[in-house]
Amino acid sequence: MHLTAERLDRVSPSQTIVITAKARALKAAGRDVISLSVGEPDFETPRNIKDAAIRAIEAGDTRYTDVAGTKALREAVSRKFKRDSGLDYSADEIIVSTGGKQVIFNAMLATMQAGDEAIIPAPCWVSYPDIVALAEGTPVIVPAGQNQGFKINAEQLEAAITPKTKWFILNNPCNPTGAAYSAEELKKLTDVLMRHPHVWVFTDDIYEKLAYDGFKPATVVQVEPRLRDRTLTMNGCSKAYAMTGWRIGFAGAPVALIKAMDKLQGQSTSNTSSISQAAAIEALDGPQDSIEEMRQAFEGRRNLVVAALNTCPGVRCHTPEGAFYVYPDIRGCLGKTSAGGALIKDDEAFVVALLEEQGVAAVHGSAFMFPGHFRISYATSNELLTEACARIKTFCEGLR
């Protein structure tokens, strides 16, 4: 008898988690490993947020909440959307989930029928296609390379839409590339979407606070308010407030969609942690200066990494607008043999050999539906980044 359900065969283990686990195993065996594979800030959660959580514990705020989150937190999210993007979502139009990933899972599972399509620009975060597949949908991958700044254009979006299209999923700024769409760039896409009223929009804005060189990422409803009735705007506390382990994601959407997601969440996890919710209220309503400190640090790290990688033979690294990733093109390294004797037949072979021979953990581009590249997270210290880039250069110089 086959134990697992057929739906599980549609998905793969997260490749970012696989690489991270391999790096940890090498570290445990005594190897000197620098991990650039983890997608989380290396900063501490700010003190005021921790203190809010402690106060909630001491006040006995440890019981179940409404499935969609406490009214106090949903109202704080409403204020955040208005303050940062000019979006008007009432508390009834907001849901709080156990991280942004659950928001995506709930939205797809609550809305997709077998055969429905979801358009996903690539490179893309590893979980989007698999979540769509779990919901019995079909991921439609639309590639956009470095020559386009890793951003799809209006013509590509128009060509990808069919009568079966249910969702257009946009990550802005993007994991893994750091590419971010301005209001002007988004307007060209929203003009296409206005011509196709059957298509819903899922905009994942989790990295919105981490943008550089004065760039300001836009969000869909801000650019085209007429899309509000078929757009889900997702965000969370993980990246901007260094709260990845607190598991707070949230979304604003039409009431009917929020109710459907609430119904699904009520039969899965129910509410997210009451303590995390109390901390999230302080994150959203409290002092915001920690974000700018982190953003400035990341901008400096981005500049360091891009400059260093562009000195490596066979590597071309685009300068991203946001997030904390770079996505270098390594096609100039493929087909060669490493100093340790490994044939670099593809991007996965590149990152495996890089980890084994130089002790640098990164994630291969094919995991993000766009091969010939690899992803580096620069969410670590300048010292470690400098050393890691030196090792990458040594590795590339050893290819023959």
Side-chain angles (χ1 to χ4, degrees):
M1 181 182 292
H2 191 56
L3 172 64
T4 58
E6 180 273 333
R7 73 177 68 88
L8 204 59
D9 296 334
R10 302 178 202 141
V11 302
S12 308
S14 170
Q15 293 301 300
T16 53
I17 294 173
V18 168
I19 293 293
T20 300
K22 186 175 179 65
R24 283 183 184 144
L26 287 174
K27 271 189 175 182
R31 288 284 304 277
D32 174 21
V33 174
I34 301 173
S35 181
L36 305 181
S37 61
V38 180
E40 64 178 343
D42 58 317
F43 294 86
E44 282 289 316
T45 303
R47 183 73 256 171
N48 63 304
I49 300 173
K50 293 179 181 179
D51 288 342
I54 292 168
R55 288 194 301 271
I57 293 170
E58 291 177 340
D61 188 7
T62 56
R63 306 207 177 262
Y64 293 133
T65 74
D66 291 342
V67 170
T70 63
K71 187 175 182 183
L73 178 51
R74 286 181 286 124
E75 288 175 343
V77 171
S78 175
R79 290 189 291 273
K80 174 260 181 296
F81 279 136
K82 181 68 173 178
R83 178 179 68 239
D84 291 344
S85 305
L87 306 182
D88 289 306
Y89 287 112
S90 68
D92 290 339
E93 296 175 301
I94 289 166
I95 190 168
V96 179
S97 298
T98 308
K101 189 177 286 188
Q102 189 181 20
V103 174
I104 304 164
F105 184 88
N106 287 350
M108 297 300 113
L109 208 66
T111 61
M112 297 200 84
Q113 307 281 7
D116 285 348
E117 296 173 350
I119 296 170
I120 306 171
C124 64
W125 183 45
V126 295
S127 293
Y128 294 139
D130 282 342
I131 291 173
V132 168
L134 273 173
E136 298 188 76
T138 301
V140 176
I141 305 301
V142 180
Q146 195 169 136
N147 63 322
Q148 296 177 219
F150 296 118
K151 305 176 205 179
I152 70 165
N153 57 43
E155 292 75 21
Q156 288 178 296
L157 177 57
E158 183 78 62
I161 293 173
T162 75
K164 294 182 178 180
T165 304
K166 186 65 171 277
W167 286 97
F168 170 52
I169 299 176
L170 186 69
N171 186 197
N172 184 36
C174 173
N175 172 9
T177 65
Y181 294 78
S182 66
E184 293 75 18
E185 290 168 326
L186 264 190
K187 184 64 169 64
K188 294 175 182 177
L189 300 182
T190 60
D191 285 349
V192 173
L193 293 163
M194 286 300 298
R195 296 195 289 271
H196 298 278
H198 68 291
V199 178
W200 280 68
V201 185
F202 189 111
T203 177
D204 178 349
D205 300 343
I206 197 81
Y207 294 96
E208 67 165 352
K209 296 289 188 180
L210 302 177
Y212 313 117
D213 302 323
F215 189 91
K216 175 64 177 173
T219 193
V220 169
V221 177
Q222 179 185 34
V223 171
E224 180 47 85
R226 290 176 296 174
L227 285 171
R228 185 188 188 283
D229 289 344
R230 50 187 172 104
T231 297
L232 184 152
T233 304
M234 192 198 90
N235 214 304
C237 294
S238 298
K239 314 302 180 180
Y241 301 99
M243 292 176 67
T244 52
W246 298 74
R247 308 310 299 137
I248 293 286
F250 49 79
V255 169
L257 177 55
I258 293 296
K259 284 184 175 179
M261 293 167 66
D262 180 278
K263 182 178 181 181
L264 181 61
Q265 188 163 300
Q267 295 296 353
S268 54
T269 60
S270 193
N271 64 276
T272 193
S273 161
S274 60
I275 306 305
S276 294
Q277 290 189 61
I281 294 171
E282 175 62 23
L284 297 175
D285 283 345
Q288 304 292 299
D289 51 305
S290 63
I291 298 175
E292 179 58 17
E293 293 171 11
M294 185 166 60
R295 191 203 64 77
Q296 288 183 16
F298 280 138
E299 183 168 352
R301 295 173 184 182
R302 178 204 63 169
N303 295 341
L304 183 161
V305 169
V306 169
L309 290 174
N310 278 323
T311 69
C312 299
V315 175
R316 290 189 304 114
C317 187
H318 178 75
T319 302
E321 293 91 355
F324 41 72
Y325 310 103
V326 291
Y327 199 69
D329 183 331
I330 55 167
R331 286 174 292 182
C333 300
L334 303 184
K336 299 182 179 181
T337 301
S338 72
L343 175 62
I344 310 302
K345 64 182 187 297
D346 54 25
D347 50 77
E348 184 172 5
F350 180 95
V351 298
V352 169
L354 178 64
L355 176 57
E356 292 177 346
E357 296 181 25
Q358 291 293 331
V360 176
V363 186
H364 51 294
S366 52
F368 304 102
M369 312 300 290
F370 201 90
H373 298 67
F374 74 126
R375 189 195 77 173
I376 285 176
S377 166
Y378 50 84
T380 191
S381 69
N382 283 17
E383 180 184 8
L384 286 176
L385 289 171
T386 299
E387 173 61 21
C389 288
R391 295 185 190 185
I392 294 169
K393 185 172 184 178
T394 297
F395 179 79
C396 292
E397 288 176 340
L399 296 174
R400 295 291 182 268

PDB file of all heavy atoms in Angstrom, residues 259-276:
ATOM      1  N   LYS A 259     -12.738  35.600   4.214  1.00  0.00           N
ATOM      2  CA  LYS A 259     -13.597  34.611   4.894  1.00  0.00           C
ATOM      3  C   LYS A 259     -13.261  33.189   4.443  1.00  0.00           C
ATOM      4  O   LYS A 259     -13.260  32.257   5.262  1.00  0.00           O
ATOM      5  CB  LYS A 259     -15.065  34.918   4.617  1.00  0.00           C
ATOM      6  CG  LYS A 259     -15.608  36.101   5.418  1.00  0.00           C
ATOM      7  CD  LYS A 259     -17.109  36.284   5.176  1.00  0.00           C
ATOM      8  CE  LYS A 259     -17.674  37.380   6.068  1.00  0.00           C
ATOM      9  NZ  LYS A 259     -19.132  37.595   5.843  1.00  0.00           N
ATOM     10  N   ALA A 260     -12.980  33.019   3.168  1.00  0.00           N
ATOM     11  CA  ALA A 260     -12.620  31.686   2.670  1.00  0.00           C
ATOM     12  C   ALA A 260     -11.300  31.218   3.278  1.00  0.00           C
ATOM     13  O   ALA A 260     -11.163  30.051   3.683  1.00  0.00           O
ATOM     14  CB  ALA A 260     -12.526  31.711   1.145  1.00  0.00           C
ATOM     15  N   MET A 261     -10.334  32.118   3.364  1.00  0.00           N
ATOM     16  CA  MET A 261      -9.043  31.782   3.963  1.00  0.00           C
ATOM     17  C   MET A 261      -9.190  31.519   5.461  1.00  0.00           C
ATOM     18  O   MET A 261      -8.543  30.622   6.012  1.00  0.00           O
ATOM     19  CB  MET A 261      -8.050  32.910   3.694  1.00  0.00           C
ATOM     20  CG  MET A 261      -7.694  33.063   2.216  1.00  0.00           C
ATOM     21  SD  MET A 261      -6.818  34.595   1.835  1.00  0.00           S
ATOM     22  CE  MET A 261      -5.262  34.348   2.710  1.00  0.00           C
ATOM     23  N   ASP A 262     -10.038  32.296   6.124  1.00  0.00           N
ATOM     24  CA  ASP A 262     -10.315  32.104   7.550  1.00  0.00           C
ATOM     25  C   ASP A 262     -10.930  30.726   7.794  1.00  0.00           C
ATOM     26  O   ASP A 262     -10.568  30.017   8.747  1.00  0.00           O
ATOM     27  CB  ASP A 262     -11.249  33.213   8.020  1.00  0.00           C
ATOM     28  CG  ASP A 262     -11.614  33.110   9.489  1.00  0.00           C
ATOM     29  OD1 ASP A 262     -12.528  32.334   9.823  1.00  0.00           O
ATOM     30  OD2 ASP A 262     -10.990  33.811  10.305  1.00  0.00           O
ATOM     31  N   LYS A 263     -11.847  30.331   6.923  1.00  0.00           N
ATOM     32  CA  LYS A 263     -12.492  29.010   7.042  1.00  0.00           C
ATOM     33  C   LYS A 263     -11.458  27.890   6.936  1.00  0.00           C
ATOM     34  O   LYS A 263     -11.470  26.933   7.729  1.00  0.00           O
ATOM     35  CB  LYS A 263     -13.549  28.866   5.944  1.00  0.00           C
ATOM     36  CG  LYS A 263     -14.326  27.563   5.962  1.00  0.00           C
ATOM     37  CD  LYS A 263     -15.373  27.571   4.848  1.00  0.00           C
ATOM     38  CE  LYS A 263     -16.199  26.284   4.833  1.00  0.00           C
ATOM     39  NZ  LYS A 263     -17.206  26.304   3.730  1.00  0.00           N
ATOM     40  N   LEU A 264     -10.548  28.023   5.975  1.00  0.00           N
ATOM     41  CA  LEU A 264      -9.507  27.011   5.789  1.00  0.00           C
ATOM     42  C   LEU A 264      -8.542  27.006   6.972  1.00  0.00           C
ATOM     43  O   LEU A 264      -8.186  25.944   7.494  1.00  0.00           O
ATOM     44  CB  LEU A 264      -8.757  27.293   4.486  1.00  0.00           C
ATOM     45  CG  LEU A 264      -7.635  26.326   4.109  1.00  0.00           C
ATOM     46  CD1 LEU A 264      -8.183  24.915   3.923  1.00  0.00           C
ATOM     47  CD2 LEU A 264      -6.941  26.794   2.845  1.00  0.00           C
ATOM     48  N   GLN A 265      -8.132  28.180   7.394  1.00  0.00           N
ATOM     49  CA  GLN A 265      -7.188  28.278   8.510  1.00  0.00           C
ATOM     50  C   GLN A 265      -7.801  27.744   9.794  1.00  0.00           C
ATOM     51  O   GLN A 265      -7.114  27.137  10.622  1.00  0.00           O
ATOM     52  CB  GLN A 265      -6.753  29.742   8.695  1.00  0.00           C
ATOM     53  CG  GLN A 265      -5.627  29.936   9.703  1.00  0.00           C
ATOM     54  CD  GLN A 265      -4.968  31.290   9.558  1.00  0.00           C
ATOM     55  OE1 GLN A 265      -4.427  31.628   8.499  1.00  0.00           O
ATOM     56  NE2 GLN A 265      -5.005  32.105  10.602  1.00  0.00           N
ATOM     57  N   GLY A 266      -9.114  27.925   9.944  1.00  0.00           N
ATOM     58  CA  GLY A 266      -9.799  27.420  11.124  1.00  0.00           C
ATOM     59  C   GLY A 266      -9.773  25.912  11.236  1.00  0.00           C
ATOM     60  O   GLY A 266      -9.917  25.356  12.335  1.00  0.00           O
ATOM     61  N   GLN A 267      -9.600  25.231  10.111  1.00  0.00           N
ATOM     62  CA  GLN A 267      -9.536  23.768  10.130  1.00  0.00           C
ATOM     63  C   GLN A 267      -8.113  23.249   9.951  1.00  0.00           C
ATOM     64  O   GLN A 267      -7.910  22.059   9.718  1.00  0.00           O
ATOM     65  CB  GLN A 267     -10.446  23.192   9.038  1.00  0.00           C
ATOM     66  CG  GLN A 267     -11.921  23.469   9.255  1.00  0.00           C
ATOM     67  CD  GLN A 267     -12.484  22.804  10.504  1.00  0.00           C
ATOM     68  OE1 GLN A 267     -11.805  22.021  11.158  1.00  0.00           O
ATOM     69  NE2 GLN A 267     -13.723  23.122  10.845  1.00  0.00           N
ATOM     70  N   SER A 268      -7.137  24.156  10.032  1.00  0.00           N
ATOM     71  CA  SER A 268      -5.732  23.719   9.958  1.00  0.00           C
ATOM     72  C   SER A 268      -4.998  24.177  11.203  1.00  0.00           C
ATOM     73  O   SER A 268      -5.001  23.496  12.226  1.00  0.00           O
ATOM     74  CB  SER A 268      -5.074  24.225   8.674  1.00  0.00           C
ATOM     75  OG  SER A 268      -5.203  25.637   8.540  1.00  0.00           O
ATOM     76  N   THR A 269      -4.417  25.362  11.176  1.00  0.00           N
ATOM     77  CA  THR A 269      -3.650  25.827  12.331  1.00  0.00           C
ATOM     78  C   THR A 269      -4.475  26.621  13.327  1.00  0.00           C
ATOM     79  O   THR A 269      -4.045  26.838  14.455  1.00  0.00           O
ATOM     80  CB  THR A 269      -2.509  26.732  11.873  1.00  0.00           C
ATOM     81  OG1 THR A 269      -3.051  27.864  11.189  1.00  0.00           O
ATOM     82  CG2 THR A 269      -1.555  25.989  10.964  1.00  0.00           C
ATOM     83  N   SER A 270      -5.636  27.126  12.919  1.00  0.00           N
ATOM     84  CA  SER A 270      -6.369  28.134  13.682  1.00  0.00           C
ATOM     85  C   SER A 270      -5.476  29.378  13.813  1.00  0.00           C
ATOM     86  O   SER A 270      -4.715  29.682  12.899  1.00  0.00           O
ATOM     87  CB  SER A 270      -6.816  27.578  15.036  1.00  0.00           C
ATOM     88  OG  SER A 270      -7.769  28.455  15.619  1.00  0.00           O
ATOM     89  N   ASN A 271      -5.561  30.102  14.936  1.00  0.00           N
ATOM     90  CA  ASN A 271      -4.807  31.355  15.042  1.00  0.00           C
ATOM     91  C   ASN A 271      -3.312  31.119  15.189  1.00  0.00           C
ATOM     92  O   ASN A 271      -2.866  30.061  15.652  1.00  0.00           O
ATOM     93  CB  ASN A 271      -5.298  32.170  16.248  1.00  0.00           C
ATOM     94  CG  ASN A 271      -5.049  31.465  17.570  1.00  0.00           C
ATOM     95  OD1 ASN A 271      -5.848  30.630  17.977  1.00  0.00           O
ATOM     96  ND2 ASN A 271      -3.957  31.791  18.254  1.00  0.00           N
ATOM     97  N   THR A 272      -2.528  32.120  14.791  1.00  0.00           N
ATOM     98  CA  THR A 272      -1.097  32.074  15.071  1.00  0.00           C
ATOM     99  C   THR A 272      -0.877  32.448  16.533  1.00  0.00           C
ATOM    100  O   THR A 272      -1.801  32.849  17.249  1.00  0.00           O
ATOM    101  CB  THR A 272      -0.327  32.998  14.123  1.00  0.00           C
ATOM    102  OG1 THR A 272       1.075  32.706  14.212  1.00  0.00           O
ATOM    103  CG2 THR A 272      -0.551  34.456  14.450  1.00  0.00           C
ATOM    104  N   SER A 273       0.343  32.308  17.014  1.00  0.00           N
ATOM    105  CA  SER A 273       0.664  32.497  18.425  1.00  0.00           C
ATOM    106  C   SER A 273       0.166  33.833  18.968  1.00  0.00           C
ATOM    107  O   SER A 273       0.420  34.884  18.386  1.00  0.00           O
ATOM    108  CB  SER A 273       2.183  32.417  18.616  1.00  0.00           C
ATOM    109  OG  SER A 273       2.588  33.006  19.827  1.00  0.00           O
ATOM    110  N   SER A 274      -0.533  33.788  20.098  1.00  0.00           N
ATOM    111  CA  SER A 274      -1.029  35.017  20.711  1.00  0.00           C
ATOM    112  C   SER A 274       0.117  35.925  21.145  1.00  0.00           C
ATOM    113  O   SER A 274       0.012  37.155  21.063  1.00  0.00           O
ATOM    114  CB  SER A 274      -1.910  34.683  21.919  1.00  0.00           C
ATOM    115  OG  SER A 274      -1.163  33.968  22.893  1.00  0.00           O
ATOM    116  N   ILE A 275       1.220  35.337  21.582  1.00  0.00           N
ATOM    117  CA  ILE A 275       2.379  36.132  22.000  1.00  0.00           C
ATOM    118  C   ILE A 275       3.008  36.826  20.791  1.00  0.00           C
ATOM    119  O   ILE A 275       3.364  38.008  20.840  1.00  0.00           O
ATOM    120  CB  ILE A 275       3.423  35.244  22.707  1.00  0.00           C
ATOM    121  CG1 ILE A 275       2.786  34.479  23.865  1.00  0.00           C
ATOM    122  CG2 ILE A 275       4.604  36.069  23.179  1.00  0.00           C
ATOM    123  CD1 ILE A 275       2.086  35.345  24.884  1.00  0.00           C
ATOM    124  N   SER A 276       3.136  36.094  19.696  1.00  0.00           N
ATOM    125  CA  SER A 276       3.675  36.694  18.471  1.00  0.00           C
ATOM    126  C   SER A 276       2.782  37.824  17.976  1.00  0.00           C
ATOM    127  O   SER A 276       3.272  38.845  17.472  1.00  0.00           O
ATOM    128  CB  SER A 276       3.817  35.634  17.377  1.00  0.00           C
ATOM    129  OG  SER A 276       4.789  34.673  17.725  1.00  0.00           O
TER     130      SER A 276
END
